[in-house]
């Protein structure tokens, strides 16, 4: 099973385009994250866990769906690591492998209100479709 986790981690790294080895674990990305209190694993932990191949806890974590895809972590990183892209890639890997979409594109309109920015709507449609 460990070999399969490494394969999944390598695929996630490839698909995200993130160089996980650049991360120096400073935690600035996590300190900036507006969803920090809601997440079981924080952005810098995602990077480390993918780097080490510890994928299973991430694939089963609700933190995948707590990420707002706001890219605050990307802006704050002094080394140019892009945790949000990595989280998105883990989310997509989970959906592809385990067919665990929490929403469909048809569910999104019912969640809308007039104060939601267009970027959030597009992000939701991108996240929850196959």
């Amino acid at each position: 099973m460990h070999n399969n986790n490494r394969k999944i981690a390598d695929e996630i790294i490839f698909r995200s385009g993130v160089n996980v080895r650049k991360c120096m674990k400073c935690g600035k990305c996590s300190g900036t994250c507006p969803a920090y209190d809601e997440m079981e694993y924080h952005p810098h932990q995602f990077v480390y866990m993918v780097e080490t191949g510890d994928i299973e806890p991430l694939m089963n974590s609700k933190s995948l769906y707590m990420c707002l895809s706001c890219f605050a972590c990307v802006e704050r990183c002094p080394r140019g690591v892009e945790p949000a892209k990595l989280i998105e890639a883990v989310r997509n890997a989970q959906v592809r492998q385990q067919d665990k979409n929490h929403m469909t594109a048809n569910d999104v309109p019912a969640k809308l209100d007039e104060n939601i920015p267009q970027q959030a709507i597009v992000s939701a449609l991108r996240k929850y479709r196959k």
Side-chain angles (χ1 to χ4, degrees):
M1 193 64 158
H2 178 70
N3 192 25
N4 190 42
N5 286 346
R6 183 72 259 160
K7 182 180 173 187
I8 294 169
D10 290 343
E11 180 183 328
I12 288 166
I13 291 167
F14 175 76
R15 287 180 183 264
S16 70
V18 173
N19 183 351
V20 294
R21 292 184 178 193
K22 287 173 39 178
C23 180
M24 60 184 181
K25 299 9 166 221
C26 68
K28 287 184 178 183
C29 57
S30 295
T32 304
C33 180
Y36 181 88
D37 292 334
E38 305 298 321
M39 297 178 83
E40 177 183 7
Y41 300 110
H42 305 109
H44 74 282
Q45 292 172 311
F46 266 87
V47 175
Y48 178 75
M49 292 170 84
V50 170
E51 180 182 4
T52 61
D54 193 14
I55 294 300
E56 221 167 301
L58 293 179
M59 298 284 273
N60 297 317
S61 174
K62 296 286 185 193
S63 295
L64 285 176
Y65 296 94
M66 296 296 135
C67 173
L68 302 172
S69 299
C70 66
F71 287 81
C73 56
V74 173
E75 293 296 319
R76 191 75 172 109
C77 179
R79 302 283 309 252
V81 179
E82 299 170 302
K85 286 185 178 181
L86 199 62
I87 293 169
E88 181 78 12
V90 173
R91 181 187 300 125
N92 288 337
Q94 187 223 32
V95 169
R96 275 192 308 278
Q97 296 220 348
Q98 299 174 8
D99 196 30
K100 290 189 176 181
N101 244 344
H102 290 271
M103 291 176 66
T104 66
N106 293 333
D107 295 331
V108 174
K111 307 271 185 209
L112 300 179
D113 70 37
E114 61 189 43
N115 297 320
I116 293 178
Q118 288 182 350
Q119 183 180 2
I121 298 167
V122 172
S123 179
L125 288 170
R126 182 174 40 87
K127 282 182 189 178
Y128 300 114
R129 69 171 185 198
K130 284 192 172 188

